[in-house]
Amino acid sequence: MKLPFVLASRFVAGETLESALPVVDELNAKGLHVALDLLGEHIHDRDKAVRARDAYIDLVNTMAERPAVDLRNRISIKLSMMGQMIDEAFCLDNLRRLLDIASSKDIFVRLDMEDSDLTQSTLDIFETVYPDYPNHVGPVLQAMLKRTDQDIDRMCELGASVRLCKGAYGEPASVAYQEMDVIRARFIDYMERLLEHTNNSGIATHDDQLIDATKAFAARHDISPETFEFQMLYGLRPETQEDLAAQGYNMMVYVPYGTEWFPYFYRRLRERKENVFFILRNLFRS
């Protein structure tokens, strides 16, 4: 039996692009940037991967037509939607076709990071295309992964725009830190490096401790709020999002949509027990 969409409607803007666009307009009207993401992952069929690529291209064209003056709207994609698990060369070709159009429309494309089995492949593909699209593509790095220390250094060397998050995937202790205090400490270290050495990186967190640490570090080092942004998920802490924008910070809201909403919704309830309490707690926070 198919579960009703109303279960996820707090966190997913709609099952179609048309139903998600009013959410984009509402957030933009509040001075919030938006990253739209068509939900889905782990495609193993070439025809489906091509359809996903074409859907992303349609999304780029649609976003380019939106009247979002002075707002950095962009899209967020999963490489596993475009054939990463079929053939990397095939995926790379699909990504280049997308980036050709995105760069011509001045739309930034964020490469989502999935589970750790795909981390190296995702970063390899990113580094392959980055020289040709330096202002229109960037990866996500997860503070919980032990390898991220070196990956942050590499992104700082490149000057790439990075989305830094704690990480929502369940990962073994062999590759990921398990204690939240350790993950927070790693996050702060990585945030400081990104703010010092990159532009337009995203500090993706709903954690007040990490938000305050970011604001304090930027203030101590005279780092302009224009050079980075905070990022949060649609449906979580909307008043805080508006407050940060009112304080002069760039505030981006990650807005997922699509019929494949259940894995996105369920992952946040299953893969890390902290996320269950986190979502329940944030339902009642501003």
Side-chain angles (χ1 to χ4, degrees), residues 267-281:
R267 182 178 297 119
R268 279 156 177 78
L269 302 180
R270 181 182 68 86
E271 290 192 339
R272 290 186 63 83
K273 65 180 181 181
E274 291 89 349
N275 290 343
V276 179
F277 303 117
F278 172 78
I279 287 178
L280 292 175
R281 183 172 66 250

Side-chain angles (χ1 to χ4, degrees), residues 147-160:
R147 62 167 291 160
T148 298
D149 185 55
Q150 294 181 330
D151 292 333
I152 286 284
D153 280 345
R154 176 58 178 160
M155 294 304 112
C156 288
E157 178 184 353
L158 292 172

Side-chain angles (χ1 to χ4, degrees), residues 200-225:
N200 299 323
S201 282
I203 309 305
T205 183
H206 310 85
D207 188 324
D208 284 328
Q209 182 177 332
L210 302 181
I211 294 169
D212 291 343
T214 302
K215 292 163 73 173
F217 181 81
R220 285 198 309 273
H221 294 269
D222 294 321
I223 296 171
S224 170

Side-chain angles (χ1 to χ4, degrees), residues 159-211:
S161 167
V162 172
R163 180 179 195 259
L164 175 66
C165 64
K166 286 178 180 174
Y169 289 85
E171 299 285 0
S174 59
V175 301
Y177 300 109
Q178 305 297 307
E179 299 80 17
M180 191 52 64
D181 286 347
V182 175
I183 295 171
R184 283 194 181 99
R186 292 289 82 215
F187 189 106
I188 291 172
D189 178 34
Y190 303 149
M191 170 273 293
E192 292 176 351
R193 290 190 239 171
L194 289 173
L195 262 58
E196 284 192 302
H197 300 291
T198 70
N199 284 322
N200 299 323
S201 282
I203 309 305
T205 183
H206 310 85
D207 188 324
D208 284 328
Q209 182 177 332
L210 302 181
I211 294 169

Side-chain angles (χ1 to χ4, degrees), residues 63-135:
M63 293 298 279
E65 294 169 358
R66 307 302 290 174
V69 179
D70 296 328
L71 291 169
R72 296 202 294 259
N73 288 342
R74 79 292 308 254
I75 73 168
S76 184
I77 73 169
K78 284 184 169 62
L79 292 179
S80 72
M81 286 271 284
M82 295 201 299
Q84 182 181 23
M85 303 180 74
I86 301 169
D87 177 73
E88 281 194 16
F90 170 64
C91 178
L92 184 59
D93 179 68
N94 284 332
L95 178 59
R96 284 191 179 278
R97 294 189 188 199
L98 171 64
L99 289 172
D100 282 342
I101 295 171
S103 61
S104 72
K105 305 283 187 179
D106 198 24
I107 297 292
F108 188 89
V109 177
R110 179 70 67 193
L111 306 183
D112 273 354
M113 191 60 72
E114 304 180 62
D115 59 77
S116 60
D117 290 343
L118 293 175
T119 301
Q120 189 61 55
S121 170
T122 299
L123 293 178
D124 287 344
I125 291 172
F126 163 72
E127 288 216 34
T128 299
V129 300
Y130 179 69
D132 296 322
Y133 312 95
N135 299 315

Side-chain angles (χ1 to χ4, degrees), residues 2 24 38 44 47 55-56 133 206 216 221 223 235 255:
K2 183 178 179 180
V24 175
L38 172 61
H44 295 274
D47 290 339
Y56 283 142
Y133 312 95
H206 310 85
H221 294 269
I223 296 171
V255 179

